[in-house]
Amino acid sequence: QLVESGGGSVQAGGSLTLSCAAPGVSLSRYCSGWFREAPGKEREGVGSIGYDGTTRYASSVKGRFAISSDHDKNTLNLQMNNLKPEDTAMYYCATDPTSVTRCFGNYALQPGSYKNWGQGTQVTVS
């Protein structure tokens, strides 16, 4: 079970850093991703990071969000800058892909590509 933290309320233009702890799971072994789900909308991929550190982002957050993995602390992080009201959502981290191929291309941003999820952390931008 992954554990997200760092969510909160922030004004538009502000920043937040989300963190995802992975007890019992070695993040260095897997590709991982951040996802979000707004009320009434489907869960969508925000960003992913591959085995080699290669990152991929949704067009809506590219240039504003940055995903990173700290293998020493075994955490996955999401730095969010210049936040907008439309970024308001529950944010989830995920890892343990269903197959190696799911770590590449658009598959890496699809919720169905991952088996291990956290409970989420709320981000509200006003």
Side-chain angles (χ1 to χ4, degrees):
Q1 185 73 42
L2 308 180
V3 181
E4 302 93 340
S5 62
S9 297
V10 64
Q11 291 188 338
S15 298
L16 282 174
T17 300
L18 306 184
S19 186
C20 172
V25 177
S26 177
L27 288 175
S28 63
R29 293 181 56 191
Y30 304 111
C31 60
S32 304
W34 282 97
F35 296 80
R36 66 187 181 187
E37 187 172 334
K41 294 186 177 181
E42 292 185 353
R43 190 169 298 188
E44 64 175 356
V46 172
S48 67
I49 185 165
Y51 302 97
D52 61 353
T54 300
T55 55
R56 188 176 186 90
Y57 299 96
S59 57
S60 59
V61 306
K62 193 174 294 183
R64 299 189 298 122
F65 290 12
I67 190 170
S68 62
S69 182
D70 186 329
H71 292 166
D72 290 335
K73 296 181 179 178
N74 199 36
T75 59
L76 183 70
N77 305 305
L78 183 67
Q79 175 68 42
M80 305 185 294
N81 299 321
N82 190 23
L83 282 160
K84 303 177 180 181
E86 51 264 42
D87 294 319
T88 295
M90 185 72 79
Y91 282 72
Y92 301 87
C93 61
T95 193
D96 192 8
T98 57
S99 69
V100 174
T101 57
R102 287 289 179 169
C103 291
F104 299 97
N106 290 332
Y107 287 127
L109 293 177
Q110 294 178 1
S113 295
Y114 301 92
K115 294 183 288 186
N116 196 341
W117 289 82
Q119 295 291 330
T121 185
Q122 178 68 38
V123 172
T124 302
V125 185
S126 59

